[in-house]
Amino acid sequence: MLAPVQAMEPRMKQVLVIGIGAGNPEYITVQAINALNRVDVFFLLDKGEEKSDLARLRREILQRYVTAPKYRMVEVDDPPRGKTASGYREDVAAWRAKRLAIFAAMLADELKDGECGAFLVWGDPSLYDGTISILDDILAAGHVAFDFEVIPGISSVMALAARHRIALNRVGETVQITTGRRLAEGMPGGADNLVVMLDSAGAFRALQGEDFDIYWGAYLGTGAEVLRAGKLAALIDEIERLRAAGRAEHGWIMDTYLLRRPRSA
Ligand SMILES: C[S@@+](CC[C@H](N)C(=O)[O-])C[C@H]1O[C@@H](n2cnc3c(N)ncnc32)[C@H](O)[C@@H]1O
């Protein structure tokens, strides 16, 4: 007697969230390179003026590291985050809902069962990036079924420390990572070393009367990289000039800095 034919379960969609490093194509791990080579569909979300520069880096990474290209690309514009009268939290929630709908549609329509899709995340997916939480929300809502994996990359924070040849903490000290928006509300109490990201307004200006060392880096890992380190009060004007000049030249800027109180004698 013939064995009954087993009904084939459709194979699960696989999704990879791959950290690609924060600007230098060599800021990528061997694990990430192996992951890139498994991918059938790359989902690319780009925004505004950074778009062409970031897209160029992603293309370069794929050209360099994918040895037998078999992938498709699905490119979508990241919806801009609107500024409405309702306030920051509401604006972020509305923006996240739009992104969630876009991600869910891409995963449902563009990735076949059994295929592997990937999101290439700038730097490392664990820092100020919404990809993982959006995928969690899609799974929780039951919109689309998939398995997902996260592959770490070198974040701008690691790049900043390496380029300044520093450790983020001195012996036994804490390191805190925050945003320019939060710093503008006040220096967090108890922070020995404060890394500031996403500071479009230059929140460090408010600390000019205080004794801080700053380690600042813009366009880290790229050909346009700029670094400055020293006393905050002495560097504020120059850093503001460099930020304005960078924006004028490139149309966008990404900078990160470490603020640290000098060691007491
Ligand atoms: C949305 S967050 C993404 C962070 C990213 N996931 C990471 O691991 O670096 C963007 C912020 O990261 C920082 N950043 C990212 N790339 C950078 C770079 N190449 N140079 C300096 N800062 C960078 C900036 O503070 C920027 O505002």
Side-chain angles (χ1 to χ4, degrees):
M1 208 171 80
L2 288 177
V5 176
Q6 295 262 314
M8 282 260 292
E9 277 291 312
R11 285 188 305 142
M12 191 68 111
K13 300 181 185 203
Q14 304 291 318
V15 176
L16 303 176
V17 179
I18 306 177
I20 57 166
N24 184 330
E26 294 186 358
Y27 287 168
I28 192 157
T29 67
V30 175
Q31 189 187 24
I33 293 173
N34 290 337
L36 293 174
N37 280 282
R38 285 166 55 194
V39 174
D40 300 297
V41 186
F42 286 103
F43 299 112
L44 304 179
L45 274 96
D46 281 318
K47 53 183 150 214
E49 289 150 326
E50 302 162 7
K51 192 170 166 170
S52 58
D53 289 329
L54 303 195
R56 191 168 338 112
L57 179 85
R58 292 207 181 96
R59 266 199 305 278
E60 184 178 343
I61 282 177
L62 296 183
Q63 274 162 14
R64 260 205 211 192
Y65 300 118
V66 179
T67 44
K70 51 155 185 152
Y71 57 78
R72 321 187 282 285
M73 303 267 244
V74 175
E75 296 188 49
V76 203
D77 283 336
D78 209 355
R81 202 168 71 205
K83 279 202 175 86
T84 64
S86 353
Y88 174 73
R89 283 185 188 285
E90 289 73 12
D91 292 348
V92 170
W95 176 63
R96 281 178 55 92
K98 274 191 228 158
R99 296 186 95 208
L100 190 141
I102 292 172
F103 276 49
M106 288 193 303
L107 293 170
D109 303 340
E110 306 285 352
L111 190 65
K112 298 192 192 97
D113 289 334
E115 282 191 327
C116 178
F119 294 92
L120 301 182
V121 172
W122 190 258
D124 182 76
S126 69
L127 260 184
Y128 295 112
D129 185 86
T131 310
I132 293 174
S133 64
I134 289 177
L135 294 180
D136 281 337
D137 288 351
I138 293 173
L139 285 176
H143 293 313
V144 199
F146 56 89
D147 277 335
F148 85 95
E149 237 179 273
V150 178
I151 288 109
I154 292 186
S155 90
S156 52
V157 179
M158 275 69 244
L160 177 78
R163 295 297 293 134
H164 280 291
R165 302 188 301 180
I166 54 167
L168 293 175
N169 62 288
R170 293 164 299 191
V171 179
E173 290 182 343
T174 59
V175 179
Q176 187 166 338
I177 302 177
T178 192
T179 63
R181 174 178 290 274
R182 296 296 294 268
L183 179 60
E185 291 165 5
M187 182 73 190
D192 299 315
N193 301 277
L194 186 69
V195 176
V196 185
M197 303 172 79
L198 289 160
D199 184 6
S200 56
F204 49 81
R205 168 62 77 185
L207 301 171
Q208 63 183 333
E210 299 192 41
D211 190 10
F212 280 106
D213 292 327
I214 186 168
Y215 297 86
W216 175 82
Y219 309 103
L220 289 159
T222 74
E225 182 178 272
V226 199
L227 301 170
R228 287 294 182 276
K231 288 284 170 208
L232 173 66
L235 283 175
I236 284 182
D237 290 345
E238 187 181 359
I239 291 176
E240 284 184 343
R241 267 200 310 278
L242 289 167
R243 282 162 58 103
R247 275 207 188 89
E249 185 180 350
H250 305 287
W252 59 279
I253 184 165
M254 281 197 195
D255 62 342
T256 305
Y257 51 93
L258 171 70
L259 291 173
R260 161 182 289 174
R261 291 195 192 275
R263 222 189 282 268
S264 43

